[in-house]
Amino acid sequence: MDQNQTPSSTTTMNQNQTSSTTTTNQNQTSSTTTTTVSLMIGLKPLVAPLVMRLITFIFLFVSLIVIATDSFDTFDIYGFPVKVTSNDVYAYRYMLSADVIGMTYTLLLVVLTILQVASGNPIGSGLAYFEFYSDKVILFLLATGAAAGLGLTVEYNRIMDDITQDLQKFLNIANTSASLLLVGSIFSVISSFFSSLNLPKRSSS
């Protein structure tokens, strides 16, 4: 009688184990799917700000290269040849600083956003407020840097009647860099707009 019951008991136990394993796998799959969907929904608001910051970084990077390599050769009052660079002009030096600081901040926010996307963890309230207020400061810096560069170029062209070809080329290149910086500040405005919209939801996390 024991021998007749053994196969039946074994079969029943195997069926129960198989059913339990199948149920566990289904629960795990359902849980993973739910987590993935929730993650995608939660990270969707971060995509647009990330794209805006990447575009801002590209414009600032190109602006920095243009202004940093801008120079021309001339002669001092004693007739000795000298090389004038953008770092010798205060307005253009301010542009350089704006480019570097803006790039550093933008890259920092890009890295933090990518880490958030990769980990799926919501941004903390402290970091949310840091992003909100820092965006306004960086925006002011970029906008004033572009204004300084563009304004100086216009003034040089206005007050100088006899301008050499090398100096004109120097000013035009600086004007190009200032224009790129201005475009970068416009995308920074858009990033600031997104950080303002997302602040209530992120700060409550």
Side-chain angles (χ1 to χ4, degrees):
M1 210 171 158
D2 292 338
Q3 291 178 351
N4 292 334
Q5 291 178 351
T6 300
S8 176
S9 300
T10 303
T11 303
T12 303
M13 290 177 61
N14 290 336
Q15 290 176 347
N16 291 335
Q17 290 176 351
T18 303
S19 176
S20 176
T21 303
T22 303
T23 303
T24 302
N25 292 335
Q26 290 177 347
N27 291 335
Q28 290 177 348
T29 303
S30 177
S31 177
T32 303
T33 303
T34 303
T35 302
T36 303
V37 172
S38 300
L39 180 60
M40 293 177 62
I41 295 175
L43 296 179
K44 187 177 180 180
L46 299 177
V47 175
L50 178 60
V51 172
M52 291 299 103
R53 294 195 189 281
L54 287 174
I55 296 176
T56 302
F57 181 83
I58 292 172
F59 274 103
L60 296 184
F61 180 68
V62 177
S63 173
L64 177 63
I65 293 177
V66 172
I67 193 64
T69 57
D70 191 16
S71 64
F72 73 99
D73 296 319
T74 186
F75 298 92
D76 60 13
I77 59 176
Y78 303 105
F80 294 103
V82 294
K83 185 174 184 178
V84 178
T85 66
S86 56
N87 200 44
D88 297 321
V89 183
Y90 285 113
Y92 297 154
R93 189 183 300 178
Y94 183 71
M95 280 179 55
L96 280 165
S97 301
D99 277 324
V100 173
I101 296 174
M103 284 175 56
T104 303
Y105 170 76
T106 304
L107 183 61
L108 173 64
L109 265 295
V110 167
V111 171
L112 290 176
T113 304
I114 291 176
L115 290 177
Q116 182 184 358
V117 171
S119 63
N121 295 324
I123 189 171
S125 59
L127 187 56
Y129 281 107
F130 168 77
E131 179 183 2
F132 174 77
Y133 290 110
S134 298
D135 274 349
K136 309 303 180 287
V137 175
I138 295 299
L139 172 59
F140 175 80
L141 178 66
L142 298 180
T144 53
L150 292 171
L152 179 63
T153 302
V154 171
E155 286 301 309
Y156 259 118
N157 289 323
R158 185 179 66 85
I159 65 177
M160 296 187 67
D161 297 327
D162 186 18
I163 187 170
T164 64
Q165 185 177 358
D166 290 338
L167 178 57
Q168 184 67 62
K169 182 180 178 182
F170 174 79
L171 294 174
N172 289 339
I173 293 176
N175 194 53
T176 301
S177 175
S179 300
L180 291 170
L181 180 57
L182 180 61
V183 176
S185 68
I186 293 175
F187 282 100
S188 181
V189 170
I190 302 175
S191 298
S192 177
F193 178 73
F194 279 118
S195 67
S196 300
L197 288 179
N198 294 329
L199 179 63
K201 180 170 60 178
R202 292 182 179 182
S203 60
S204 62
S205 303

